[in-house]
Amino acid sequence: MGSIDKYIFRTTLASFALVLVSLTGVIWITQALRGIDLMTSQGQTIITFLGLTSLVIPALILIIAPVALMIAVSHTLNKLATDSEIIVMNAAGFSPFRLFRPFFYATCVVALLVAFIAAYLAPEGMRRLKQWDADITADVLTNILQPGRFAQLDQNLTIRIRERQPGGLLKGIFIDDRRDPKERATIIADHGTVMKNGNSSFLVLEDGNLQRFEAGKRDPALVAFGRYAFDMSKFSKAHDVTLGIRERYLWELLDPAPDDPVYKQIPGQFRAELHDRFMAPIYPFAFAALTFAFLGAPRTTRQSRNFSIGGAILSAFGLRMAGFACSVMAVKSPFAPVVQYLMLFATIGLSIWIIIGGIVLEPPAALLEAINKSNARLLRLFGRPATA
């Protein structure tokens, strides 16, 4: 790449990174707020909360990346036009198609990023999210044991905690264990924490006493302890996780096992998800070419670019909405993905034809005249009266 190409390439990717981080951050915050109950009602730490919610970021990037690239291309072209750089490059012999080359290189980088996320990173994040969520859901200490309530974990086992504190500390623990018919144990502890070792889970109690009533004896045995481990492994076993469509890697969607129960039940969703993964890296090319077709032609600073910016936004929005509609219909119709592929490649082909031909997309003269007349009428209606 020449110096001009490197300049445009760096500007586009820098703008893309800034827009991508900004949009992803805003949407991630809105999604993360839905899981705030992890810290409030289930007593999870901030690390667990951030870890869980951040696993959806790759899936968000799949949708946001083409939009961020479109905004980056629009910003770069608008910057070049405002500084009259496009006109200078056009006068120096740069055709619109030659000017499109650094944008194409930037789009290739974005498409490779999207392809990697679609094939591996997004399903890996969703897979870990599902497993992590299943572990939390299966953990009785975070779901069943609620402060101030008596929880009956077994037919003859009752546990109560007074409150939860940051760091997983449990205060005011009461345990009534009558599972052994030969004895009854009552445990009261000032505080305790959960300790996990492999598949085993223990409630480590501190500063308390244990009162044991044995059958056939009149007086109970009372033991004060500084530290006591109560086995909770029976009640904290993780369940097997069934992977859904979004948790499958690309190669697993390409060649699903014939005896896969999920594939047998919903083969149409496998097809729709597979084509969505294939088309994810194509959308950046469609959006970049479409945006350049509207904004890449040289214009003077006196020529308005509002129509071109609005046309690019509406066209990209319409293309993406049509893609979502085809993805929904692909579950039942095998021809819907074909329509979506045709739309994408037709958009790219038409945009390249406009770029090569140097066609300037402008509104019809009649529409401009009607807008000007409407503006003049509004000025006469709301304008200030002329002074004498």
Side-chain angles (χ1 to χ4, degrees):
M1 290 189 292
S3 58
I4 296 178
D5 292 340
K6 290 180 181 178
Y7 165 68
I8 297 176
F9 178 79
R10 288 195 304 267
T11 304
T12 304
L13 284 187
S15 301
F16 166 76
L18 179 62
V19 174
L20 181 65
V21 171
S22 302
L23 291 179
T24 304
V26 171
I27 298 177
W28 173 70
I29 289 174
T30 61
Q31 296 293 320
L33 290 177
R34 300 180 181 179
I36 199 69
D37 64 308
L38 283 173
M39 292 191 300
T40 56
S41 64
Q42 297 187 7
Q44 299 297 322
T45 63
I46 185 65
I47 302 300
T48 302
F49 171 72
L50 293 177
L52 275 173
T53 54
S54 63
L55 289 175
V56 303
I57 290 179
L60 294 177
I61 292 178
L62 283 180
I63 305 298
I64 298 173
V67 179
L69 179 63
M70 182 191 71
I71 297 174
V73 172
S74 301
H75 167 73
T76 304
L77 287 173
N78 191 58
K79 180 177 180 297
L80 294 175
T82 302
D83 297 337
S84 300
E85 292 173 320
I86 292 182
I87 296 177
V88 172
M89 286 186 283
N90 183 70
F94 270 62
S95 64
F97 187 71
R98 172 63 182 82
L99 180 61
F100 180 66
R101 190 166 70 181
F103 292 100
F104 174 76
Y105 294 152
T107 304
C108 289
V109 174
V110 175
L112 288 175
L113 172 66
V114 171
F116 171 70
I117 293 175
Y120 173 77
L121 196 58
E124 175 68 15
M126 300 304 296
R127 184 174 295 202
R128 294 192 179 189
L129 175 63
K130 194 166 189 175
Q131 181 63 55
W132 203 344
D133 184 63
D135 292 341
I136 293 177
T137 303
D139 194 347
V140 67
L141 299 176
T142 59
N143 290 274
I144 297 180
L145 298 185
Q146 298 299 326
R149 298 181 182 179
F150 288 91
Q152 189 169 357
L153 305 186
D154 205 349
Q155 186 175 2
N156 295 308
L157 178 63
T158 303
I159 298 181
R160 179 187 184 274
I161 59 175
R162 187 174 70 245
E163 62 175 322
R164 293 181 185 272
Q165 292 189 353
L169 184 66
L170 307 176
K171 298 285 290 184
I173 302 173
F174 168 82
I175 300 176
D176 182 32
D177 188 359
R178 292 174 291 172
R179 291 175 294 177
D180 189 346
K182 296 182 180 181
E183 66 177 24
R184 174 180 177 180
T186 302
I187 305 173
I188 299 176
D190 179 76
H191 61 277
T193 55
V194 179
M195 181 180 296
K196 294 186 178 181
N197 182 15
N199 295 327
S200 300
S201 179
F202 297 92
L203 179 59
V204 181
L205 307 172
E206 298 186 24
D207 299 333
N209 59 77
L210 185 151
Q211 185 174 273
R212 179 179 287 112
F213 293 89
E214 295 184 7
K217 292 186 178 181
R218 180 177 179 181
D219 298 324
L222 185 63
V223 179
F225 59 85
R227 189 178 178 90
Y228 180 81
F230 188 80
D231 190 3
M232 299 285 292
S233 303
K234 177 183 177 181
F235 309 102
S236 302
K237 294 181 180 179
H239 302 286
D240 294 333
V241 177
T242 301
L243 297 178
I245 306 297
R246 300 177 65 189
E247 291 86 28
R248 307 295 179 100
Y249 299 121
L250 179 62
W251 51 89
E252 293 176 338
L253 294 174
L254 277 171
D255 187 22
D259 57 345
D260 190 333
V262 180
Y263 177 69
K264 289 181 177 180
Q265 185 178 3
I266 46 175
Q269 292 191 15
F270 267 77
R271 178 179 59 246
E273 183 67 20
L274 176 63
H275 288 291
D276 281 345
R277 303 279 184 89
F278 280 143
M279 281 181 276
I282 303 178
Y283 272 101
F285 290 101
F287 278 28
L290 190 62
T291 304
F292 194 93
F294 275 94
L295 298 171
R299 292 181 176 89
T300 65
T301 55
R302 294 179 177 272
Q303 290 177 291
S304 175
R305 302 172 67 86
N306 294 333
F307 171 79
S308 298
I309 294 175
I313 294 174
L314 291 177
S315 300
F317 177 77
L319 180 64
R320 199 64 189 90
M321 289 300 102
F324 283 135
C326 289
S327 297
V328 173
M329 291 187 293
V331 176
K332 295 183 178 180
S333 173
F335 298 103
V338 178
V339 176
Q340 194 170 358
Y341 283 114
L342 290 176
M343 285 193 307
L344 288 174
F345 288 112
T347 300
I348 296 174
L350 180 61
S351 300
I352 295 297
W353 177 75
I354 292 174
I355 295 171
I356 294 176
I359 301 173
V360 180
L361 297 178
E362 294 287 352
L367 178 60
L368 284 177
E369 184 178 355
I371 293 175
N372 291 333
K373 289 182 179 179
S374 177
N375 290 337
R377 191 178 299 111
L378 290 175
L379 287 176
R380 289 195 303 268
L381 182 62
F382 298 102
R384 294 181 179 178
T387 58

